[in-house]
């Protein structure tokens, strides 16, 4: 579907946006920033998980991703099962009608081609397949931009992800591991590029009204229960993660260190409550964060960060704060290596508080050197993302590409 010369390109954004995950929303914010700067004439709307939030926060029209509102709740009663099944059928026509109204649809970042957290094939993988299939049917260009991918053991999920990727017009990945994973699934990635996560293109937030207390450690927590292959051990994994994190936080408080707890998704709030209940100290407090900018501000004023969620790590690294990753997937290890901190990863599935404290102290001893490294790596990431947006314009807005000024990054 190509608009007539001089007609604005109609752009849609697609994903689990406005649903409480700050990383997903940060990726949307980055793409909207690019569109408003480089293609202000393009009308933009969304098909997403939380349309009311997206419209209120970003000022664009939005449509609910699923017809059935209980899509992500477990269906245990016959009525719910029927509702979900009917919703899958209705969503075929809803998605097709929405896609047909657009020239371009962008899927902004996110781990849309992975199953590192529990995922059912008939959930988001099915929705993504509908998007890419109807995009191909109607000639709408679908772009998967700086997305994450990983090996998937579930055959139905893997088949949907592989087909979706093949049907997309444009693909780029947030790390080499993601591109390798798609290639291993049988997708031709010869012309696909790797760029940093979209959140690295967000502007640095303004400093808060007050600096953090000296010695503050920012701890990013997660409602972590393992991945898609860990369902049988989910409770055990969560208990070990929580117990190890509580021991770590308690030790810091006993040493007189202020600890600031942050989250990256609404589902993480009970973890914060559990830590506050277990560690009875005025030195341990919780931050309220509504965006990646809020998270980055919290982490920028800390001396050190220990975090689990992928975009918690990105906020800390972007802020230039020495960071230790409680890593739950290869993508976290890859991110830390990309930013020069590969030595500071600890497995989230097997948190050992004593070993974590050793790594934490080593991190702090190297703080000055690591801050210099992060400043250099952040500059390189911003340059790469400038190239990404230039490539995106050439792929999705061909009529305007000749007049698009390549931002000098040398």
């Amino acid at each position: 579907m190509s608009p007539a010369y001089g007609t604005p390109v109609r752009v849609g954004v697609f994903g689990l946006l406005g649903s409480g995950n700050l990383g997903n929303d940060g990726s949307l914010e980055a793409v909207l920033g690019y569109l408003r700067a480089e293609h202000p004439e393009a009308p933009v709307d969304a098909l997403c998980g939380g349309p009311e939030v997206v419209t209120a926060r970003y000022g664009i029209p939005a449509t609910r991703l699923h017809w059935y509102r209980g899509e992500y709740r477990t269906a245990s009663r016959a009525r719910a099962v029927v509702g979900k099944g009917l919703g899958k059928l209705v969503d075929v026509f809803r998605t097709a009608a929405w896609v047909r109204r657009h020239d371009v649809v962008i899927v902004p970042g996110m781990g849309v081609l992975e199953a590192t957290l529990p995922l059912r094939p008939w959930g988001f993988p099915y929705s993504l397949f509908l998007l890419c299939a109807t995009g191909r049917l109607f000639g709408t260009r679908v772009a998967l931009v700086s997305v994450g991918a990983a090996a998937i053991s579930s055959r139905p999920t893997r088949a949907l992800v592989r087909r979706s990727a093949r049907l997309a017009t444009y693909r780029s990945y947030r790390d080499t591991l993601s591109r390798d994973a798609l290639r291993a699934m049988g997708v031709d990635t010869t012309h696909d590029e790797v760029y940093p996560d979209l959140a690295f293109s967000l502007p640095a937030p303004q400093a808060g009204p007050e600096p953090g207390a000296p010695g503050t450690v920012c701890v990013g927590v997660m409602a972590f229960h393992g991945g898609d292959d860990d369902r049988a051990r989910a409770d055990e994994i969560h208990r070990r993660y929580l117990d190890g994190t509580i021991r770590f936080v308690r030790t810091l408080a006993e040493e007189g260190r202020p600890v600031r707890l942050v989250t990256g998704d609404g589902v993480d709030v009970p973890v914060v409550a559990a830590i506050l209940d277990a560690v009875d100290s005025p030195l341990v407090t919780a931050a309220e964060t509504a965006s990646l900018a809020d998270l980055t501000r919290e982490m920028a004023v800390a001396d050190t960060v220990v975090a689990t969620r992928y975009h918690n790590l990105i906020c800390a690294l972007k802020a230039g704060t020495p960071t230790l990753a409680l890593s739950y997937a290869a993508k976290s290890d890859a991110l830390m290596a990309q930013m020069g901190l590969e030595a500071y990863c600890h497995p989230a599935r097997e948190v050992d508080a004593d070993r974590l404290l050793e790594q934490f102290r080593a991190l702090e001893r190297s703080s000055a050197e690591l801050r210099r490294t992060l400043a250099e790596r952040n500059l390189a990431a911003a340059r790469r993302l400038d190239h990404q947006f230039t490539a995106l314009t050439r792929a999705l807005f061909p009529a305007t590409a000749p007049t698009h000024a390549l931002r000098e990054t040398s």
Side-chain angles (χ1 to χ4, degrees), residues 156-190:
T157 303
R158 186 170 65 249
L160 287 169
V161 164
R162 179 173 58 243
R163 180 64 66 177
S164 298
R166 286 175 173 171
L167 290 169
T169 305
Y170 174 95
R171 295 183 300 266
S172 66
Y173 311 95
R174 63 190 180 190
D175 52 48
T176 303
L177 288 174
S178 295
R179 183 170 62 183
D180 292 345
L182 260 291
R183 183 182 297 124
M185 289 186 211
V187 178
D188 181 2
T189 61
T190 305

PDB file of all heavy atoms in Angstrom, residues 156-190:
ATOM      1  N   PRO A 156       4.433 -24.549  18.580  1.00  0.00           N
ATOM      2  CA  PRO A 156       3.430 -23.602  18.060  1.00  0.00           C
ATOM      3  C   PRO A 156       3.890 -22.143  18.160  1.00  0.00           C
ATOM      4  O   PRO A 156       3.708 -21.364  17.220  1.00  0.00           O
ATOM      5  CB  PRO A 156       2.199 -23.867  18.938  1.00  0.00           C
ATOM      6  CG  PRO A 156       2.379 -25.248  19.455  1.00  0.00           C
ATOM      7  CD  PRO A 156       3.850 -25.410  19.641  1.00  0.00           C
ATOM      8  N   THR A 157       4.482 -21.786  19.294  1.00  0.00           N
ATOM      9  CA  THR A 157       4.961 -20.415  19.457  1.00  0.00           C
ATOM     10  C   THR A 157       6.076 -20.126  18.457  1.00  0.00           C
ATOM     11  O   THR A 157       6.103 -19.065  17.811  1.00  0.00           O
ATOM     12  CB  THR A 157       5.468 -20.182  20.888  1.00  0.00           C
ATOM     13  OG1 THR A 157       4.420 -20.470  21.817  1.00  0.00           O
ATOM     14  CG2 THR A 157       5.921 -18.740  21.081  1.00  0.00           C
ATOM     15  N   ARG A 158       7.000 -21.056  18.323  1.00  0.00           N
ATOM     16  CA  ARG A 158       8.117 -20.874  17.387  1.00  0.00           C
ATOM     17  C   ARG A 158       7.618 -20.721  15.960  1.00  0.00           C
ATOM     18  O   ARG A 158       8.111 -19.881  15.199  1.00  0.00           O
ATOM     19  CB  ARG A 158       9.080 -22.051  17.498  1.00  0.00           C
ATOM     20  CG  ARG A 158      10.348 -21.881  16.662  1.00  0.00           C
ATOM     21  CD  ARG A 158      11.384 -22.944  16.981  1.00  0.00           C
ATOM     22  NE  ARG A 158      10.944 -24.286  16.628  1.00  0.00           N
ATOM     23  CZ  ARG A 158      10.655 -25.249  17.504  1.00  0.00           C
ATOM     24  NH1 ARG A 158      10.755 -25.017  18.802  1.00  0.00           N
ATOM     25  NH2 ARG A 158      10.279 -26.443  17.095  1.00  0.00           N
ATOM     26  N   ALA A 159       6.620 -21.500  15.576  1.00  0.00           N
ATOM     27  CA  ALA A 159       6.080 -21.425  14.218  1.00  0.00           C
ATOM     28  C   ALA A 159       5.438 -20.064  13.959  1.00  0.00           C
ATOM     29  O   ALA A 159       5.626 -19.465  12.887  1.00  0.00           O
ATOM     30  CB  ALA A 159       5.061 -22.540  14.001  1.00  0.00           C
ATOM     31  N   LEU A 160       4.692 -19.541  14.929  1.00  0.00           N
ATOM     32  CA  LEU A 160       4.060 -18.232  14.763  1.00  0.00           C
ATOM     33  C   LEU A 160       5.092 -17.118  14.678  1.00  0.00           C
ATOM     34  O   LEU A 160       4.982 -16.203  13.859  1.00  0.00           O
ATOM     35  CB  LEU A 160       3.090 -17.970  15.919  1.00  0.00           C
ATOM     36  CG  LEU A 160       1.784 -18.761  15.904  1.00  0.00           C
ATOM     37  CD1 LEU A 160       1.058 -18.612  17.239  1.00  0.00           C
ATOM     38  CD2 LEU A 160       0.881 -18.306  14.758  1.00  0.00           C
ATOM     39  N   VAL A 161       6.104 -17.195  15.537  1.00  0.00           N
ATOM     40  CA  VAL A 161       7.160 -16.180  15.535  1.00  0.00           C
ATOM     41  C   VAL A 161       7.927 -16.211  14.215  1.00  0.00           C
ATOM     42  O   VAL A 161       8.212 -15.170  13.605  1.00  0.00           O
ATOM     43  CB  VAL A 161       8.109 -16.398  16.729  1.00  0.00           C
ATOM     44  CG1 VAL A 161       9.417 -15.628  16.549  1.00  0.00           C
ATOM     45  CG2 VAL A 161       7.423 -15.972  18.030  1.00  0.00           C
ATOM     46  N   ARG A 162       8.278 -17.407  13.762  1.00  0.00           N
ATOM     47  CA  ARG A 162       9.021 -17.531  12.499  1.00  0.00           C
ATOM     48  C   ARG A 162       8.219 -16.968  11.332  1.00  0.00           C
ATOM     49  O   ARG A 162       8.743 -16.205  10.506  1.00  0.00           O
ATOM     50  CB  ARG A 162       9.369 -18.995  12.244  1.00  0.00           C
ATOM     51  CG  ARG A 162      10.127 -19.215  10.932  1.00  0.00           C
ATOM     52  CD  ARG A 162      10.597 -20.654  10.788  1.00  0.00           C
ATOM     53  NE  ARG A 162       9.495 -21.592  10.836  1.00  0.00           N
ATOM     54  CZ  ARG A 162       9.350 -22.529  11.780  1.00  0.00           C
ATOM     55  NH1 ARG A 162      10.232 -22.640  12.767  1.00  0.00           N
ATOM     56  NH2 ARG A 162       8.319 -23.357  11.753  1.00  0.00           N
ATOM     57  N   ARG A 163       6.939 -17.323  11.258  1.00  0.00           N
ATOM     58  CA  ARG A 163       6.102 -16.843  10.162  1.00  0.00           C
ATOM     59  C   ARG A 163       5.928 -15.325  10.233  1.00  0.00           C
ATOM     60  O   ARG A 163       5.985 -14.642   9.211  1.00  0.00           O
ATOM     61  CB  ARG A 163       4.739 -17.535  10.224  1.00  0.00           C
ATOM     62  CG  ARG A 163       3.790 -17.106   9.134  1.00  0.00           C
ATOM     63  CD  ARG A 163       4.270 -17.480   7.754  1.00  0.00           C
ATOM     64  NE  ARG A 163       4.308 -18.923   7.560  1.00  0.00           N
ATOM     65  CZ  ARG A 163       4.634 -19.511   6.415  1.00  0.00           C
ATOM     66  NH1 ARG A 163       4.961 -18.757   5.367  1.00  0.00           N
ATOM     67  NH2 ARG A 163       4.658 -20.819   6.314  1.00  0.00           N
ATOM     68  N   SER A 164       5.742 -14.803  11.421  1.00  0.00           N
ATOM     69  CA  SER A 164       5.591 -13.352  11.565  1.00  0.00           C
ATOM     70  C   SER A 164       6.832 -12.626  11.069  1.00  0.00           C
ATOM     71  O   SER A 164       6.748 -11.634  10.329  1.00  0.00           O
ATOM     72  CB  SER A 164       5.333 -12.994  13.036  1.00  0.00           C
ATOM     73  OG  SER A 164       4.134 -13.571  13.499  1.00  0.00           O
ATOM     74  N   ALA A 165       7.997 -13.106  11.492  1.00  0.00           N
ATOM     75  CA  ALA A 165       9.247 -12.456  11.084  1.00  0.00           C
ATOM     76  C   ALA A 165       9.423 -12.499   9.572  1.00  0.00           C
ATOM     77  O   ALA A 165       9.862 -11.522   8.951  1.00  0.00           O
ATOM     78  CB  ALA A 165      10.426 -13.124  11.784  1.00  0.00           C
ATOM     79  N   ARG A 166       9.079 -13.617   8.960  1.00  0.00           N
ATOM     80  CA  ARG A 166       9.217 -13.734   7.506  1.00  0.00           C
ATOM     81  C   ARG A 166       8.290 -12.785   6.755  1.00  0.00           C
ATOM     82  O   ARG A 166       8.623 -12.304   5.667  1.00  0.00           O
ATOM     83  CB  ARG A 166       8.943 -15.178   7.079  1.00  0.00           C
ATOM     84  CG  ARG A 166      10.068 -16.157   7.406  1.00  0.00           C
ATOM     85  CD  ARG A 166       9.649 -17.575   7.065  1.00  0.00           C
ATOM     86  NE  ARG A 166      10.764 -18.516   7.201  1.00  0.00           N
ATOM     87  CZ  ARG A 166      10.638 -19.836   7.137  1.00  0.00           C
ATOM     88  NH1 ARG A 166       9.424 -20.371   6.934  1.00  0.00           N
ATOM     89  NH2 ARG A 166      11.684 -20.614   7.265  1.00  0.00           N
ATOM     90  N   LEU A 167       7.126 -12.521   7.312  1.00  0.00           N
ATOM     91  CA  LEU A 167       6.140 -11.677   6.647  1.00  0.00           C
ATOM     92  C   LEU A 167       6.419 -10.182   6.812  1.00  0.00           C
ATOM     93  O   LEU A 167       5.868  -9.360   6.076  1.00  0.00           O
ATOM     94  CB  LEU A 167       4.742 -11.995   7.172  1.00  0.00           C
ATOM     95  CG  LEU A 167       4.164 -13.361   6.778  1.00  0.00           C
ATOM     96  CD1 LEU A 167       2.894 -13.647   7.580  1.00  0.00           C
ATOM     97  CD2 LEU A 167       3.875 -13.426   5.290  1.00  0.00           C
ATOM     98  N   ALA A 168       7.257  -9.816   7.780  1.00  0.00           N
ATOM     99  CA  ALA A 168       7.540  -8.402   8.027  1.00  0.00           C
ATOM    100  C   ALA A 168       8.347  -7.803   6.879  1.00  0.00           C
ATOM    101  O   ALA A 168       9.164  -8.474   6.248  1.00  0.00           O
ATOM    102  CB  ALA A 168       8.294  -8.244   9.341  1.00  0.00           C
ATOM    103  N   THR A 169       8.116  -6.517   6.622  1.00  0.00           N
ATOM    104  CA  THR A 169       8.839  -5.800   5.568  1.00  0.00           C
ATOM    105  C   THR A 169      10.243  -5.423   6.019  1.00  0.00           C
ATOM    106  O   THR A 169      11.193  -5.431   5.229  1.00  0.00           O
ATOM    107  CB  THR A 169       8.076  -4.507   5.192  1.00  0.00           C
ATOM    108  OG1 THR A 169       6.743  -4.843   4.826  1.00  0.00           O
ATOM    109  CG2 THR A 169       8.755  -3.767   4.051  1.00  0.00           C
ATOM    110  N   TYR A 170      10.373  -5.084   7.284  1.00  0.00           N
ATOM    111  CA  TYR A 170      11.635  -4.571   7.831  1.00  0.00           C
ATOM    112  C   TYR A 170      11.863  -5.223   9.185  1.00  0.00           C
ATOM    113  O   TYR A 170      10.942  -5.337   9.999  1.00  0.00           O
ATOM    114  CB  TYR A 170      11.563  -3.046   7.987  1.00  0.00           C
ATOM    115  CG  TYR A 170      12.757  -2.419   8.666  1.00  0.00           C
ATOM    116  CD1 TYR A 170      13.810  -1.899   7.929  1.00  0.00           C
ATOM    117  CD2 TYR A 170      12.814  -2.331  10.064  1.00  0.00           C
ATOM    118  CE1 TYR A 170      14.909  -1.304   8.558  1.00  0.00           C
ATOM    119  CE2 TYR A 170      13.903  -1.745  10.698  1.00  0.00           C
ATOM    120  CZ  TYR A 170      14.939  -1.236   9.947  1.00  0.00           C
ATOM    121  OH  TYR A 170      16.019  -0.661  10.571  1.00  0.00           O
ATOM    122  N   ARG A 171      13.099  -5.646   9.430  1.00  0.00           N
ATOM    123  CA  ARG A 171      13.458  -6.227  10.730  1.00  0.00           C
ATOM    124  C   ARG A 171      14.795  -5.672  11.168  1.00  0.00           C
ATOM    125  O   ARG A 171      15.748  -5.589  10.373  1.00  0.00           O
ATOM    126  CB  ARG A 171      13.582  -7.755  10.644  1.00  0.00           C
ATOM    127  CG  ARG A 171      12.317  -8.515  10.321  1.00  0.00           C
ATOM    128  CD  ARG A 171      12.567 -10.030  10.332  1.00  0.00           C
ATOM    129  NE  ARG A 171      13.580 -10.418   9.352  1.00  0.00           N
ATOM    130  CZ  ARG A 171      13.314 -10.832   8.110  1.00  0.00           C
ATOM    131  NH1 ARG A 171      12.055 -10.903   7.697  1.00  0.00           N
ATOM    132  NH2 ARG A 171      14.288 -11.164   7.292  1.00  0.00           N
ATOM    133  N   SER A 172      14.871  -5.298  12.435  1.00  0.00           N
ATOM    134  CA  SER A 172      16.157  -5.021  13.059  1.00  0.00           C
ATOM    135  C   SER A 172      16.085  -5.543  14.490  1.00  0.00           C
ATOM    136  O   SER A 172      14.992  -5.736  15.035  1.00  0.00           O
ATOM    137  CB  SER A 172      16.510  -3.529  13.024  1.00  0.00           C
ATOM    138  OG  SER A 172      15.616  -2.778  13.822  1.00  0.00           O
ATOM    139  N   TYR A 173      17.251  -5.761  15.091  1.00  0.00           N
ATOM    140  CA  TYR A 173      17.309  -6.446  16.384  1.00  0.00           C
ATOM    141  C   TYR A 173      18.121  -5.624  17.376  1.00  0.00           C
ATOM    142  O   TYR A 173      18.997  -4.846  16.997  1.00  0.00           O
ATOM    143  CB  TYR A 173      17.939  -7.825  16.228  1.00  0.00           C
ATOM    144  CG  TYR A 173      17.328  -8.624  15.107  1.00  0.00           C
ATOM    145  CD1 TYR A 173      17.909  -8.624  13.833  1.00  0.00           C
ATOM    146  CD2 TYR A 173      16.151  -9.332  15.291  1.00  0.00           C
ATOM    147  CE1 TYR A 173      17.338  -9.337  12.788  1.00  0.00           C
ATOM    148  CE2 TYR A 173      15.568 -10.048  14.250  1.00  0.00           C
ATOM    149  CZ  TYR A 173      16.170 -10.039  12.996  1.00  0.00           C
ATOM    150  OH  TYR A 173      15.586 -10.729  11.958  1.00  0.00           O
ATOM    151  N   ARG A 174      17.831  -5.839  18.653  1.00  0.00           N
ATOM    152  CA  ARG A 174      18.530  -5.074  19.679  1.00  0.00           C
ATOM    153  C   ARG A 174      19.839  -5.717  20.127  1.00  0.00           C
ATOM    154  O   ARG A 174      20.568  -5.126  20.927  1.00  0.00           O
ATOM    155  CB  ARG A 174      17.618  -4.835  20.879  1.00  0.00           C
ATOM    156  CG  ARG A 174      17.161  -6.082  21.604  1.00  0.00           C
ATOM    157  CD  ARG A 174      16.074  -5.740  22.607  1.00  0.00           C
ATOM    158  NE  ARG A 174      15.596  -6.890  23.344  1.00  0.00           N
ATOM    159  CZ  ARG A 174      14.525  -6.877  24.135  1.00  0.00           C
ATOM    160  NH1 ARG A 174      13.820  -5.758  24.257  1.00  0.00           N
ATOM    161  NH2 ARG A 174      14.144  -7.947  24.789  1.00  0.00           N
ATOM    162  N   ASP A 175      20.138  -6.909  19.623  1.00  0.00           N
ATOM    163  CA  ASP A 175      21.440  -7.523  19.881  1.00  0.00           C
ATOM    164  C   ASP A 175      21.681  -8.631  18.869  1.00  0.00           C
ATOM    165  O   ASP A 175      20.751  -9.093  18.184  1.00  0.00           O
ATOM    166  CB  ASP A 175      21.536  -8.056  21.321  1.00  0.00           C
ATOM    167  CG  ASP A 175      20.386  -8.962  21.705  1.00  0.00           C
ATOM    168  OD1 ASP A 175      20.068  -9.873  20.929  1.00  0.00           O
ATOM    169  OD2 ASP A 175      19.794  -8.744  22.781  1.00  0.00           O
ATOM    170  N   THR A 176      22.930  -9.046  18.774  1.00  0.00           N
ATOM    171  CA  THR A 176      23.303 -10.085  17.812  1.00  0.00           C
ATOM    172  C   THR A 176      22.648 -11.413  18.153  1.00  0.00           C
ATOM    173  O   THR A 176      22.292 -12.197  17.258  1.00  0.00           O
ATOM    174  CB  THR A 176      24.833 -10.243  17.778  1.00  0.00           C
ATOM    175  OG1 THR A 176      25.429  -8.971  17.457  1.00  0.00           O
ATOM    176  CG2 THR A 176      25.262 -11.260  16.733  1.00  0.00           C
ATOM    177  N   LEU A 177      22.465 -11.691  19.437  1.00  0.00           N
ATOM    178  CA  LEU A 177      21.817 -12.934  19.854  1.00  0.00           C
ATOM    179  C   LEU A 177      20.422 -13.063  19.249  1.00  0.00           C
ATOM    180  O   LEU A 177      20.000 -14.159  18.868  1.00  0.00           O
ATOM    181  CB  LEU A 177      21.724 -13.006  21.378  1.00  0.00           C
ATOM    182  CG  LEU A 177      23.015 -13.262  22.156  1.00  0.00           C
ATOM    183  CD1 LEU A 177      22.754 -13.153  23.644  1.00  0.00           C
ATOM    184  CD2 LEU A 177      23.579 -14.635  21.815  1.00  0.00           C
ATOM    185  N   SER A 178      19.709 -11.957  19.179  1.00  0.00           N
ATOM    186  CA  SER A 178      18.353 -11.979  18.625  1.00  0.00           C
ATOM    187  C   SER A 178      18.382 -12.325  17.142  1.00  0.00           C
ATOM    188  O   SER A 178      17.588 -13.146  16.667  1.00  0.00           O
ATOM    189  CB  SER A 178      17.679 -10.621  18.839  1.00  0.00           C
ATOM    190  OG  SER A 178      17.498 -10.352  20.217  1.00  0.00           O
ATOM    191  N   ARG A 179      19.278 -11.705  16.407  1.00  0.00           N
ATOM    192  CA  ARG A 179      19.371 -12.016  14.981  1.00  0.00           C
ATOM    193  C   ARG A 179      19.778 -13.474  14.776  1.00  0.00           C
ATOM    194  O   ARG A 179      19.233 -14.167  13.913  1.00  0.00           O
ATOM    195  CB  ARG A 179      20.370 -11.088  14.301  1.00  0.00           C
ATOM    196  CG  ARG A 179      20.463 -11.315  12.789  1.00  0.00           C
ATOM    197  CD  ARG A 179      21.279 -10.237  12.103  1.00  0.00           C
ATOM    198  NE  ARG A 179      22.659 -10.208  12.582  1.00  0.00           N
ATOM    199  CZ  ARG A 179      23.566  -9.322  12.174  1.00  0.00           C
ATOM    200  NH1 ARG A 179      23.229  -8.380  11.300  1.00  0.00           N
ATOM    201  NH2 ARG A 179      24.787  -9.346  12.650  1.00  0.00           N
ATOM    202  N   ASP A 180      20.704 -13.951  15.587  1.00  0.00           N
ATOM    203  CA  ASP A 180      21.130 -15.351  15.478  1.00  0.00           C
ATOM    204  C   ASP A 180      19.980 -16.304  15.785  1.00  0.00           C
ATOM    205  O   ASP A 180      19.845 -17.361  15.151  1.00  0.00           O
ATOM    206  CB  ASP A 180      22.303 -15.623  16.425  1.00  0.00           C
ATOM    207  CG  ASP A 180      23.578 -14.905  16.002  1.00  0.00           C
ATOM    208  OD1 ASP A 180      23.646 -14.434  14.846  1.00  0.00           O
ATOM    209  OD2 ASP A 180      24.507 -14.832  16.831  1.00  0.00           O
ATOM    210  N   ALA A 181      19.142 -15.944  16.749  1.00  0.00           N
ATOM    211  CA  ALA A 181      18.004 -16.802  17.115  1.00  0.00           C
ATOM    212  C   ALA A 181      17.024 -16.917  15.957  1.00  0.00           C
ATOM    213  O   ALA A 181      16.507 -18.002  15.678  1.00  0.00           O
ATOM    214  CB  ALA A 181      17.311 -16.246  18.358  1.00  0.00           C
ATOM    215  N   LEU A 182      16.745 -15.795  15.269  1.00  0.00           N
ATOM    216  CA  LEU A 182      15.836 -15.838  14.113  1.00  0.00           C
ATOM    217  C   LEU A 182      16.445 -16.644  12.980  1.00  0.00           C
ATOM    218  O   LEU A 182      15.755 -17.408  12.295  1.00  0.00           O
ATOM    219  CB  LEU A 182      15.513 -14.418  13.653  1.00  0.00           C
ATOM    220  CG  LEU A 182      14.167 -13.847  14.102  1.00  0.00           C
ATOM    221  CD1 LEU A 182      13.039 -14.574  13.397  1.00  0.00           C
ATOM    222  CD2 LEU A 182      13.989 -13.974  15.608  1.00  0.00           C
ATOM    223  N   ARG A 183      17.735 -16.493  12.771  1.00  0.00           N
ATOM    224  CA  ARG A 183      18.399 -17.265  11.715  1.00  0.00           C
ATOM    225  C   ARG A 183      18.293 -18.763  12.024  1.00  0.00           C
ATOM    226  O   ARG A 183      18.037 -19.576  11.123  1.00  0.00           O
ATOM    227  CB  ARG A 183      19.861 -16.849  11.595  1.00  0.00           C
ATOM    228  CG  ARG A 183      20.608 -17.563  10.459  1.00  0.00           C
ATOM    229  CD  ARG A 183      22.073 -17.166  10.400  1.00  0.00           C
ATOM    230  NE  ARG A 183      22.225 -15.751  10.119  1.00  0.00           N
ATOM    231  CZ  ARG A 183      22.892 -14.897  10.886  1.00  0.00           C
ATOM    232  NH1 ARG A 183      23.454 -15.317  12.005  1.00  0.00           N
ATOM    233  NH2 ARG A 183      23.001 -13.635  10.548  1.00  0.00           N
ATOM    234  N   ALA A 184      18.460 -19.128  13.295  1.00  0.00           N
ATOM    235  CA  ALA A 184      18.367 -20.539  13.685  1.00  0.00           C
ATOM    236  C   ALA A 184      16.957 -21.082  13.497  1.00  0.00           C
ATOM    237  O   ALA A 184      16.768 -22.288  13.310  1.00  0.00           O
ATOM    238  CB  ALA A 184      18.802 -20.707  15.143  1.00  0.00           C
ATOM    239  N   MET A 185      15.950 -20.212  13.520  1.00  0.00           N
ATOM    240  CA  MET A 185      14.565 -20.639  13.284  1.00  0.00           C
ATOM    241  C   MET A 185      14.253 -20.773  11.799  1.00  0.00           C
ATOM    242  O   MET A 185      13.147 -21.189  11.437  1.00  0.00           O
ATOM    243  CB  MET A 185      13.591 -19.632  13.907  1.00  0.00           C
ATOM    244  CG  MET A 185      13.538 -19.621  15.407  1.00  0.00           C
ATOM    245  SD  MET A 185      12.225 -18.494  15.994  1.00  0.00           S
ATOM    246  CE  MET A 185      12.923 -17.946  17.544  1.00  0.00           C
ATOM    247  N   GLY A 186      15.189 -20.390  10.960  1.00  0.00           N
ATOM    248  CA  GLY A 186      14.970 -20.532   9.525  1.00  0.00           C
ATOM    249  C   GLY A 186      14.600 -19.253   8.816  1.00  0.00           C
ATOM    250  O   GLY A 186      14.160 -19.288   7.667  1.00  0.00           O
ATOM    251  N   VAL A 187      14.777 -18.102   9.469  1.00  0.00           N
ATOM    252  CA  VAL A 187      14.487 -16.812   8.850  1.00  0.00           C
ATOM    253  C   VAL A 187      15.764 -16.292   8.191  1.00  0.00           C
ATOM    254  O   VAL A 187      16.835 -16.312   8.788  1.00  0.00           O
ATOM    255  CB  VAL A 187      13.976 -15.797   9.894  1.00  0.00           C
ATOM    256  CG1 VAL A 187      13.727 -14.430   9.253  1.00  0.00           C
ATOM    257  CG2 VAL A 187      12.703 -16.317  10.552  1.00  0.00           C
ATOM    258  N   ASP A 188      15.653 -15.808   6.973  1.00  0.00           N
ATOM    259  CA  ASP A 188      16.793 -15.235   6.266  1.00  0.00           C
ATOM    260  C   ASP A 188      17.072 -13.838   6.828  1.00  0.00           C
ATOM    261  O   ASP A 188      16.310 -12.900   6.596  1.00  0.00           O
ATOM    262  CB  ASP A 188      16.501 -15.156   4.764  1.00  0.00           C
ATOM    263  CG  ASP A 188      17.665 -14.599   3.963  1.00  0.00           C
ATOM    264  OD1 ASP A 188      18.725 -14.303   4.572  1.00  0.00           O
ATOM    265  OD2 ASP A 188      17.523 -14.443   2.732  1.00  0.00           O
ATOM    266  N   THR A 189      18.156 -13.702   7.560  1.00  0.00           N
ATOM    267  CA  THR A 189      18.486 -12.422   8.198  1.00  0.00           C
ATOM    268  C   THR A 189      19.655 -11.723   7.504  1.00  0.00           C
ATOM    269  O   THR A 189      20.284 -10.835   8.093  1.00  0.00           O
ATOM    270  CB  THR A 189      18.839 -12.650   9.683  1.00  0.00           C
ATOM    271  OG1 THR A 189      19.992 -13.511   9.761  1.00  0.00           O
ATOM    272  CG2 THR A 189      17.680 -13.298  10.425  1.00  0.00           C
ATOM    273  N   THR A 190      19.931 -12.099   6.281  1.00  0.00           N
ATOM    274  CA  THR A 190      21.091 -11.566   5.562  1.00  0.00           C
ATOM    275  C   THR A 190      21.117 -10.046   5.545  1.00  0.00           C
ATOM    276  O   THR A 190      22.178  -9.426   5.702  1.00  0.00           O
ATOM    277  CB  THR A 190      21.102 -12.089   4.113  1.00  0.00           C
ATOM    278  OG1 THR A 190      21.065 -13.518   4.134  1.00  0.00           O
ATOM    279  CG2 THR A 190      22.344 -11.616   3.370  1.00  0.00           C
TER     280      THR A 190
END
